[in-house]
Structures are given as structure tokens and as C-alpha cells.
Amino acid sequence: MRGRMGTQGSPVKSYDYLLKFLLVGDSDVGKGEILESLQDGASESPYAYSNGIDYKTTTILLDGRRVKLELWDTSGQGRFCTIFRSYSRGAQGILLVYDITNRWSFDGIDRWIKEIDEHAPGVPRILVGNRLHLAFKRQVPTEQARSYAEKNCMTFFEVSPLCNFNVIESFTELSRIVLMRHGMEKIWRPNRGE
């Protein structure tokens, strides 16, 4: 595998750990906006899929370690179940995204949680209220979303990719939750080929 990685012929990886995250939520909540806002994100999908799946990678710093994230946007289409089943395999974290100016998209989070519980039980998740820059059109009060997140054992962020606000922070927090759950010591220890 090493020979295929990197065009420089260097076996040195540009990250310490790789995580796969899914972005789920109704269509038009701005999941694509979140992915597009990532300056260093490469968007070529390794599987060259175009059937409603957006894919991007980005690298964040967490406690001095480089964590490469594979971000998959399942785009909220009707055939979600089939798509989600195939893409939830191996997912280590899930961002549940709604639009703070769209009450319907927040009410729909219950349905997404049911799907996740069925197809990706136990995978850490966070709740993300998108489009904070449109707060003057807000339909979902911050406190209501926060208490909903607490009730469902999730961390909560309001973000604005347009203003570059809280997007990386939400990815970093989900990464921290995932890595703590798996035991950072185990994860960070370099693989010596055992």
C-alpha cells in the first residue's frame, strides 16, 4: 500500500490519524457550504461517486497531532437509507446538521437519530446548527437546540461557514470525543507492525 501513497515516493504520512465523519441532515441545510468552506480540503472522492454524495478531506490539529478527516455528505435525499447504510460502515463520527432559519430541518433531526441508532449505533455524534450569519431569520432558539442536544447526549455548536465561525471547532470537538472514546494512548501509539 505504501508504494501507492504519495506522489513524492515518501512513505511518511502527512497525518497521525485518519477519521471518517458523516454529515447528515435534510437537504438544503448547508452541509455542502460547510465542506466548501474548508480551505485545505481536497474534494476528489476515492470512489468517484456522484450519486448525491459529496466527499472532502481536511486535516486539523488536535493536541499537537494531525488528524486527517474524511468528510462525507449524504445530502439528505429520499434514498437516504440505502446511501446511509453503505456510507455509515466504518464511520467514527456523525455531524447532525440543521439550518437555524428552518424549523422543519431541526424537527427532522429526530428522524436522523432513529436512522443512526439503527444503522450506526454507538457512533459519537454532535448537533450542528448551521447558518448562524442568518441569525436575524432564526426559527430555532439556541437554548432549545442546546437542551435537545443535552437530552440526546450530544455536544452542540452553531456554525457559519460564511463567517468561518465554529466549523473547525465542531470537527475538532467531534474528533476529540472519538479519540477519547477509543483511548488516545492506544490510537496515538505508532503501529510497529505487530
Side-chain angles (χ1 to χ4, degrees):
M1 238 177 88
R2 227 174 224 185
R4 298 181 61 182
M5 289 182 73
T7 50
Q8 309 305 310
S10 163
V12 179
K13 288 203 297 247
S14 58
Y15 54 88
D16 297 298
Y17 199 67
L18 177 66
L19 297 178
K20 175 183 176 182
F21 288 173
L22 301 183
L23 284 77
V24 303
D26 291 347
S27 46
D28 302 325
V29 295
K31 297 186 300 296
E33 293 165 18
I34 291 173
L35 293 188
E36 283 163 26
S37 73
L38 301 169
Q39 301 307 317
D40 67 327
S43 54
E44 66 283 356
S45 164
Y47 305 111
Y49 275 129
S50 57
N51 58 345
I53 301 290
D54 280 330
Y55 166 88
K56 202 157 193 183
T57 62
T58 193
T59 304
I60 59 167
L61 270 178
L62 176 59
D63 300 335
R65 308 282 184 169
R66 289 158 306 172
V67 182
K68 183 175 180 179
L69 302 178
E70 277 188 3
L71 303 164
W72 297 84
D73 166 15
T74 50
S75 83
Q77 292 173 351
R79 301 189 57 79
F80 167 77
C81 285
T82 330
I83 290 173
F84 187 75
R85 272 184 213 125
S86 47
Y87 285 91
S88 61
R89 286 191 202 105
Q92 286 128 325
I94 296 172
L95 293 94
L96 286 144
V97 184
Y98 70 94
D99 176 352
I100 68 163
T101 71
N102 180 341
R103 178 83 218 172
W104 179 256
S105 70
F106 177 73
D107 293 340
I109 294 289
D110 271 345
R111 181 170 44 86
W112 295 103
I113 287 178
K114 285 193 186 79
E115 292 285 354
I116 293 164
D117 287 343
E118 187 178 339
H119 301 298
V123 174
R125 56 198 81 165
I126 64 173
L127 182 65
V128 174
N130 191 22
R131 300 191 172 133
L132 187 57
H133 55 279
L134 297 176
F136 63 95
K137 289 162 74 172
R138 177 189 291 280
Q139 289 183 4
V140 183
T142 305
E143 278 316 307
Q144 184 184 3
R146 184 174 285 120
S147 64
Y148 177 85
E150 279 171 16
K151 191 182 80 181
N152 287 280
C153 305
M154 294 186 287
T155 307
F156 166 64
F157 285 89
E158 287 189 332
V159 308
S160 170
L162 196 74
C163 304
N164 197 19
F165 180 76
N166 262 355
V167 173
I168 295 300
E169 287 80 356
S170 60
F171 289 139
T172 304
E173 182 57 25
L174 184 54
S175 301
R176 188 186 306 281
I177 293 165
V178 170
L179 295 174
M180 293 303 277
R181 170 172 292 198
H182 290 291
M184 260 199 197
E185 281 313 302
K186 271 196 308 226
I187 283 174
W188 292 138
R189 198 170 294 136
N191 181 354
R192 296 200 165 83
E194 286 115 69

